[in-house]
Amino acid sequence: MVTVQELYRFAKGELQGLENVSPAFEAECLCEDILHISQTQRMISPDTVPDEGDRERFLDAVRRRKNGYPLQYILGKWEFCGFPFMVGEGVLIPRPDTETLVEAVYSRMKNRCSKRIADLCAGSGAIAVSLKKLLPKSEVFAVELSGDAMPYLTENCRINEADVKIIRGDVCDGRILQNFSDPDSPGDFIPLDCIVSNPPYITDRDMKTLQKEVTYEPEMALRGGTDGLSFYRMITLLWKDLLSDNGIMAFECGYDQADSVAEIMSQAGFSNIDIVCDRAGIRRAVIGMI
Ligand SMILES: C[S@@+](CC[C@H](N)C(=O)[O-])C[C@H]1O[C@@H](n2cnc3c(N)ncnc32)[C@H](O)[C@@H]1O
């Protein structure tokens, strides 16, 4: 009879020494999710014997995790900005780095009267949903092209009770802008106060040397063209005219891209361009005003 404590120790041992893995934390997550036992319950009743099905699922999850399969996909959910998000193959796992972008947008939008926000390349909806929850009076749109990401985006709006308007389409195709036209005045747009995006930004060269875990995530969420900057150029040019006076555009970028993104924005006519560091001190978000 294998007990929960033995399974926990086994998982912790198997995950030891793997890159970017915290064995105790991950073993704990797997115990809670698959064996349905919290750390406290395990401490109180270490000799609990899980049923055979749960034990086999647990061992299978440990094996997959040891092979580099993302913990978040095994669990099927992850937290971002304190809100729950369903994740799985087909959608990018929300990263803590992206919370920097949400915080930067929140601090600039919270005191504005009008808060019409579009999250471009929305994926799981991490940014759109978090902003809607943090700014309940805002009107938030989430634009995403991937059919695989769409069920996660829809579900994440639902479980968080976030009234986000989902638009399926290509952010680089001008036809998408029709979704923002004024029904009372054809040809005009109802302006946006903020356009925020964490677009794909990995260079073609870096795509060849991705960390094992990242290779399970959709290529479409990662590949940003030869220099990783394609989406910044397209979005800036195509979408800037939708911004209201003093409207802001805010991007997440790769660790070495902030200056290039700031330059792209400056060339497109943005001013007051700020670069914001994430918790690791990496220049992670670029924000400009039109
Ligand atoms: C880096 S992920 C960001 C996901 C999410 N916003 C986040 O921060 O976790 C980029 C997203 O852009 C989507 N995407 C890629 N090309 C697109 C396009 N042309 N139009 C709209 N979305 C696109 C991908 O499917 C993916 O969900």
Side-chain angles (χ1 to χ4, degrees):
M1 293 297 216
V2 187
T3 67
V4 288
Q5 185 65 3
E6 285 166 336
L7 285 170
Y8 167 78
R9 290 217 179 102
F10 171 77
K12 204 169 119 182
E14 287 292 286
L15 301 178
Q16 209 76 50
L18 299 178
E19 207 182 332
N20 297 320
V21 173
S22 164
F25 169 73
E26 297 207 9
E28 200 59 68
C29 288
L30 294 174
C31 282
E32 285 197 13
D33 189 65
I34 302 171
L35 304 180
H36 318 290
I37 187 154
S38 68
Q39 184 178 27
T40 314
Q41 287 167 320
R42 186 169 52 76
M43 301 287 191
I44 296 168
S45 316
D47 295 331
T48 306
V49 175
D51 72 38
E52 202 182 321
D54 286 348
R55 186 192 65 209
E56 290 310 309
R57 272 190 290 282
F58 184 87
L59 294 174
D60 182 54
V62 173
R63 182 187 53 75
R64 284 190 290 154
R65 186 67 192 111
K66 201 178 167 182
N67 285 328
Y69 195 72
L71 174 72
Q72 294 88 338
Y73 284 174
I74 293 173
L75 302 176
K77 55 183 180 288
W78 200 240
E79 206 177 89
F80 178 85
C81 283
F83 304 110
F85 287 87
M86 309 302 288
V87 293
E89 285 186 34
V91 78
L92 191 95
I93 299 159
R95 309 287 205 272
D97 309 338
T98 308
E99 294 180 350
T100 300
L101 181 65
V102 172
E103 284 158 15
V105 168
Y106 170 74
S107 67
R108 284 161 180 77
M109 294 302 293
K110 66 180 180 201
N111 294 325
R112 292 198 184 201
C113 300
S114 174
K115 301 178 179 58
R116 218 169 116 84
I117 301 170
D119 171 18
L120 310 185
C121 300
S124 64
I127 298 172
V129 168
S130 302
L131 285 172
K132 179 66 193 171
K133 298 299 286 181
L134 294 168
L135 301 165
K137 292 197 175 134
S138 61
E139 185 179 11
V140 179
F141 300 84
V143 186
E144 170 60 48
L145 180 59
S146 162
D148 292 334
M150 210 46 67
Y152 294 100
L153 178 53
T154 311
E155 182 64 0
N156 287 328
C157 292
R158 192 190 66 78
I159 61 173
N160 284 292
E161 298 179 352
D163 180 14
V164 171
K165 295 173 186 69
I166 296 172
I167 299 170
R168 174 136 187 231
D170 182 351
V171 300
C172 302
D173 181 338
R175 286 172 294 184
I176 192 84
L177 303 184
Q178 289 162 9
N179 291 282
F180 299 89
S181 59
D182 185 346
D184 299 327
S185 173
D188 289 339
F189 295 112
I190 304 178
L192 291 162
D193 304 296
C194 173
I195 291 171
V196 57
S197 182
N198 174 19
Y201 56 67
I202 298 185
T203 64
D204 288 344
R205 206 179 64 181
D206 288 348
M207 285 298 294
K208 293 182 189 135
T209 55
L210 291 176
Q211 201 187 313
K212 177 88 186 276
E213 286 183 25
V214 184
T215 63
Y216 291 101
E217 295 187 88
E219 185 175 329
M220 186 179 166
L222 305 170
R223 194 181 280 280
T226 314
D227 63 358
L229 301 170
S230 303
F231 280 86
Y232 303 105
R233 294 193 187 93
M234 288 300 296
I235 290 173
T236 308
L237 286 179
L238 193 60
W239 289 79
K240 68 172 179 175
D241 292 339
L242 257 69
L243 283 171
S244 57
D245 288 345
N246 297 326
I248 60 168
M249 193 173 273
F251 287 114
E252 174 172 321
C253 63
Y255 73 98
D256 58 353
Q257 293 172 328
D259 288 331
S260 304
V261 174
E263 181 58 26
I264 289 169
M265 294 181 76
S266 164
Q267 294 281 328
F270 284 86
S271 57
N272 295 53
I273 297 173
D274 286 337
I275 294 176
V276 182
C277 291
D278 65 19
R279 281 164 221 148
I282 293 169
R283 300 160 87 224
R284 187 58 75 186
V286 185
I287 301 156
M289 193 180 277
I290 202 87

